[in-house]
Amino acid sequence: MTTRNKVLVVEDIQEERLALSEALSQWGFKVTAVGDGARGLARFSEDEFGLVITDLKMPNMDGIELLAKIREKNSEIPVILVSGYGTVQFAVKAMQLGAFDFVVKPFSASAMESLVKKAVSVYGRHEHRYGSSSSVRIVTRNRRLKALLDLGRSVADSRAPVFIQGESGTGKELFARFIHNAGGSPGRPFVPLNCAALPDGLLESELFGHEKGAFTGAIARKQGKFELAHGGTILLDEVSEMHPNLQAKLLRVLQESEIDRVGGCKPIPVDVRVIATTNRDIDQAVKTEKFRSDLYYRLNVIQIKLPPLRERPEDIVPLAEHFI
């Protein structure tokens, strides 16, 4: 059975968990079902799935938090959120984090079957396109964007930092993946982190990791994104949203090629290619001292500015055909 036919169900109400699992089995899927978000994240880390279906309101970790953590590990796998609390606020938050869909209980079996099969079919195409053995596909006829793709290929094997600027929706993360995949050894880790999605204290732990007992709730040692990206690429998405104090720590990592875990007693060497992105006017942020100039110069070794679609109308038709 392929990965795309394996579904992880996370639902705290046993009757609903069993009913959904039985329906998925009848539709031809292999189901793994757990009763809360924490166990769901653990199973997701241990195995490969083609789809995750999670309830919204659960003990230990809710569906929104689970979605965010899954997105950090795999930005392509479809996640369907299910909830009896059908508010616009939850639906918008879920979509902002990249949920495939938001379904309100009660739902019909036929509607869910159609949605599930659509989700796994989309992920099947993503697996083929974005797998480690193939390069990321970027659809364009625009000369300017083609030149930037050529630049991306030419620097793919370099360890020099890349700074990608562009408005929301211009494909900054996709371009970062393109550069990473165009590089040498297959199988190197690509670790994305949205710097705007986490508060400062949590962001530091996510970046550099922490030791057991470093703070309340640190019940075990945790590797940060830099350690997880060792030998590969870390994507610092929306890096301009990072607090100045944390910017200083990031600067030291770039200078010394080593990180300090929160609560750690010795530095840990890391070999990581850094790609950073922003949708802000970074020059203005530097002028107003909202972003450190020395960090900007460290990150802005290779500069890429992605044009929005309105500046490349020749791409509208091929993009429409591609998505259809």
Side-chain angles (χ1 to χ4, degrees):
M1 179 171 288
T2 62
T3 297
R4 61 187 290 188
N5 287 328
K6 295 169 65 176
V7 179
L8 174 62
V9 173
V10 188
E11 167 64 68
D12 62 320
I13 301 176
Q14 183 178 10
E15 294 80 3
E16 295 185 7
R17 183 169 69 247
L18 293 174
L20 182 55
S21 298
E22 183 178 350
L24 287 164
S25 298
Q26 292 176 354
W27 301 334
F29 296 97
K30 181 180 179 181
V31 183
T32 299
V34 296
D36 63 68
R39 280 186 286 176
L41 182 62
R43 291 306 302 268
F44 182 82
S45 302
E46 295 168 357
D47 203 351
E48 294 183 353
F49 297 94
L51 172 67
V52 177
I53 303 176
T54 176
D55 190 30
L56 176 64
K57 294 289 187 179
M58 297 182 294
N60 299 329
M61 180 187 298
D62 65 22
I64 293 292
E65 186 179 357
L66 176 59
L67 169 61
K69 291 186 178 296
I70 287 174
R71 277 286 160 267
E72 292 176 7
K73 295 176 178 291
N74 186 325
S75 63
E76 304 298 339
I77 188 170
V79 179
I80 298 174
L81 264 82
V82 181
S83 176
Y85 303 87
T87 69
V88 174
Q89 176 187 1
F90 288 135
V92 169
K93 182 64 174 177
M95 293 307 179
Q96 287 176 337
L97 288 172
F100 185 81
D101 210 335
F102 185 93
V103 179
V104 178
K105 299 176 183 178
F107 50 83
S108 69
S110 60
M112 179 58 78
E113 181 181 8
S114 176
L115 181 61
V116 165
K117 290 182 176 179
K118 179 181 178 182
V120 297
S121 69
V122 168
Y123 185 52
R125 294 198 295 271
H126 281 197
E127 283 185 309
H128 175 72
R129 188 178 309 141
Y130 298 106
S132 59
S133 61
S134 62
S135 61
V136 172
R137 181 183 177 191
I138 295 180
V139 178
T140 186
R141 294 176 182 171
N142 179 261
R143 287 186 178 181
R144 181 178 167 192
L145 192 51
K146 285 182 178 180
L148 291 175
L149 290 171
D150 290 338
L151 174 61
R153 291 188 192 96
S154 69
V155 303
D157 287 319
S158 167
R159 306 302 289 173
V162 179
F163 200 64
I164 303 175
Q165 301 178 53
E167 298 174 13
S168 296
T170 50
K172 297 186 290 297
E173 180 173 343
L174 184 65
F175 207 98
R177 289 181 181 275
F178 172 84
I179 294 173
H180 171 78
N181 285 15
S185 305
R188 296 168 301 125
F190 179 89
V191 181
L193 178 65
N194 188 339
C195 300
L198 298 170
D200 298 326
L202 183 56
L203 180 58
E204 181 176 359
S205 175
E206 285 295 314
L207 280 169
F208 310 129
H210 62 251
E211 295 290 345
K212 180 179 180 181
F215 50 83
T216 303
I219 59 176
R221 171 185 289 179
K222 176 184 177 180
Q223 287 186 314
K225 300 301 184 187
F226 269 92
E227 285 185 83
L228 295 174
H230 183 75
T233 303
I234 185 170
L235 171 63
L236 301 178
D237 196 20
E238 304 304 342
V239 70
S240 54
E241 303 300 316
M242 189 178 291
H243 190 276
N245 291 339
L246 198 49
Q247 291 178 29
K249 296 180 180 181
L250 175 59
L251 177 62
R252 183 184 178 281
V253 172
L254 298 179
Q255 291 172 333
E256 306 297 334
S257 295
E258 60 184 27
I259 58 101
D260 292 296
R261 290 196 189 117
V262 178
C265 57
K266 63 179 181 180
I268 300 169
V270 290
D271 176 19
V272 176
R273 203 283 178 70
V274 177
I275 301 180
T277 74
T278 184
N279 61 7
R280 292 184 176 272
D281 183 343
I282 193 65
D283 294 319
Q284 181 63 27
V286 170
K287 288 179 182 178
T288 57
E289 299 185 351
K290 293 182 178 178
F291 195 80
R292 292 179 63 109
S293 59
D294 45 3
L295 177 58
Y296 172 59
Y297 295 126
R298 279 280 179 177
L299 292 172
N300 197 37
V301 177
I302 299 168
Q303 184 184 81
I304 293 175
K305 292 186 176 182
L306 297 181
L309 186 58
R310 65 176 177 275
E311 294 179 10
R312 44 190 181 94
E314 64 271 35
D315 283 347
I316 293 174
V317 171
L319 281 171
E321 292 174 344
H322 168 72
F323 287 119
I324 290 172

